Amino acid sequence: MIGFLIALVIGFWLLKVVFKIGFKLLGLIFTVIIGLFLIRIALWVGVAVLAIGGVILFASPFQS
């Protein structure tokens, strides 16, 4: 009975370690995916801002 309890404690500890490592890896993967997605959005917003700025600069009626 004591051996069974010791095995149960070791088993739960190993399960905790495995899940902890697994969740850290999942978190890292999702962080990279979300980061790449946000970088892509930021680049498109930057391109849009440059395009709007160029249009405003070249189409301005106040050019001398």
Side-chain angles (χ1 to χ4, degrees), residues 9 21 25:
V9 167
I21 293 171
L25 285 175

Side-chain angles (χ1 to χ4, degrees), residues 11-54:
F12 278 132
W13 180 80
L14 284 173
L15 198 62
K16 183 186 82 164
V17 169
V18 167
F19 272 113
K20 203 178 214 182
I21 293 171
F23 282 131
K24 280 187 181 180
L25 285 175
L26 274 177
L28 184 65
I29 290 168
F30 278 118
T31 302
V32 168
I33 290 171
I34 291 171
L36 289 174
F37 182 70
L38 289 177
I39 286 173
R40 197 172 73 180
I41 289 175
L43 286 174
W44 277 112
V45 168
V47 167
V49 167
L50 285 174
I52 292 170

